[in-house]
Amino acid sequence: MGFSHALQLRLAQWILALWLALGLAGAVLPGAPPLLVGLGSDALALGAVLLLALVVGVPLGALAGSGPRWIDVTLAFTTDWIAAVPVVLLLAFLRPAGVTPMGGLVLLGLLRALEVGWVVRSALLRVAVIDTTWAARSLGYMPLRVFLNQRLPAAAGPALAHLALTPAWTFLLDGVGTAADLGAASSSRSLGALVAGAGSHTSLSTSAAAIVAVVSLTWALHRLGDHYGLRLARK
């Protein structure tokens, strides 16, 4: 079991490194094949979306789970409202208003941040059930050291597992938006746009390779997130 886990972890690291290397090649090499261009486009988009989701989502979830009540209520209301509106349609309405591709990535990052915030908030409340400092928390007091060393690391696992689904999420958004002629969510050069526009200029093997690349990256991020999330929770 230990060998299998170590092997899966090493494979996940190699998949991530290969993705980054091929993505860099697709971003800098002139005349790169469409598959490499798509890998480069997705790597840049995923980096921006994941960074924004972490920087905004984790503090937001921490405040919602252990801060003022109105933050929790506002996050719940906003998350429910966003869930009722398809992201592709939201982008389709915003782009004619002058939203740039970079603005679209910021919007995707903020949407992921809301979801990550809700996951972190829920994980913090689950931890609070067995937390010995709950009595102090109920009186409005939470030592910062306890929060940073116990509460927040325990919420890292669910947050990282949720973020691991981002490659598949953006791929589906790009594919659906391109197929519906609404425009790709992240970039017109992404893997999702490449596969959805596969009619006359994309071979079946290229489309299959793009799908395998997205599925493998999603799996790799999930394995890495699960591993490092457990390590943080055990500290």
Side-chain angles (χ1 to χ4, degrees), residues 85-100:
V85 181
V87 178
V88 174
L89 292 180
L90 183 61
L91 288 170
F93 280 113
L94 290 177
R95 283 215 174 104
V99 176
T100 63

Side-chain angles (χ1 to χ4, degrees), residues 81-177:
W81 184 83
I82 291 296
V85 181
V87 178
V88 174
L89 292 180
L90 183 61
L91 288 170
F93 280 113
L94 290 177
R95 283 215 174 104
V99 176
T100 63
M102 181 56 68
L105 287 180
V106 171
L107 177 61
L108 292 178
L110 291 177
L111 291 175
R112 290 303 276 172
L114 289 173
E115 296 175 0
V116 170
W118 186 254
V119 171
V120 170
R121 171 259 183 202
S122 302
L124 287 174
L125 292 182
R126 284 196 299 269
V127 173
V129 175
I130 57 174
D131 193 349
T132 56
T133 65
W134 176 250
R137 169 69 183 89
S138 64
L139 296 175
Y141 173 70
M142 167 61 67
L144 181 61
R145 182 182 60 82
V146 173
F147 179 79
L148 293 178
N149 293 339
Q150 297 181 17
R151 289 282 188 89
L152 206 54
L160 292 175
H162 187 77
L163 283 173
L165 300 175
T166 302
W169 183 69
T170 55
F171 176 82
L172 291 174
L173 288 178
D174 289 335
V176 171

Side-chain angles (χ1 to χ4, degrees), residues 2-221:
F3 175 76
S4 176
H5 177 76
L7 184 62
Q8 290 181 24
L9 182 62
R10 181 59 59 88
L11 179 60
Q13 292 170 340
W14 276 106
I15 290 174
L16 180 59
L18 181 61
W19 242 86
L20 293 176
L22 293 177
L24 180 62
V28 301
L29 291 179
L35 181 61
L36 282 183
V37 173
L39 287 170
S41 175
D42 277 19
L44 293 174
L46 288 172
V49 171
L50 290 174
L51 179 62
L52 190 57
L54 279 173
V55 170
V56 177
V58 173
L60 181 62
L63 288 173
S66 301
R69 176 65 177 169
W70 67 266
I71 298 180
D72 187 19
V73 174
T74 303
L75 179 61
F77 175 80
T78 306
T79 304
D80 289 341
W81 184 83
I82 291 296
V85 181
V87 178
V88 174
L89 292 180
L90 183 61
L91 288 170
F93 280 113
L94 290 177
R95 283 215 174 104
V99 176
T100 63
M102 181 56 68
L105 287 180
V106 171
L107 177 61
L108 292 178
L110 291 177
L111 291 175
R112 290 303 276 172
L114 289 173
E115 296 175 0
V116 170
W118 186 254
V119 171
V120 170
R121 171 259 183 202
S122 302
L124 287 174
L125 292 182
R126 284 196 299 269
V127 173
V129 175
I130 57 174
D131 193 349
T132 56
T133 65
W134 176 250
R137 169 69 183 89
S138 64
L139 296 175
Y141 173 70
M142 167 61 67
L144 181 61
R145 182 182 60 82
V146 173
F147 179 79
L148 293 178
N149 293 339
Q150 297 181 17
R151 289 282 188 89
L152 206 54
L160 292 175
H162 187 77
L163 283 173
L165 300 175
T166 302
W169 183 69
T170 55
F171 176 82
L172 291 174
L173 288 178
D174 289 335
V176 171
T178 301
D181 202 24
L182 296 174
S186 65
S187 171
S188 59
R189 302 187 303 168
S190 66
L191 294 178
L194 179 68
V195 172
S200 58
H201 44 272
T202 304
S203 65
L204 182 61
S205 60
T206 300
S207 298
I211 294 173
V212 170
V214 172
V215 172
S216 63
L217 179 63
T218 302
W219 175 85
L221 291 179

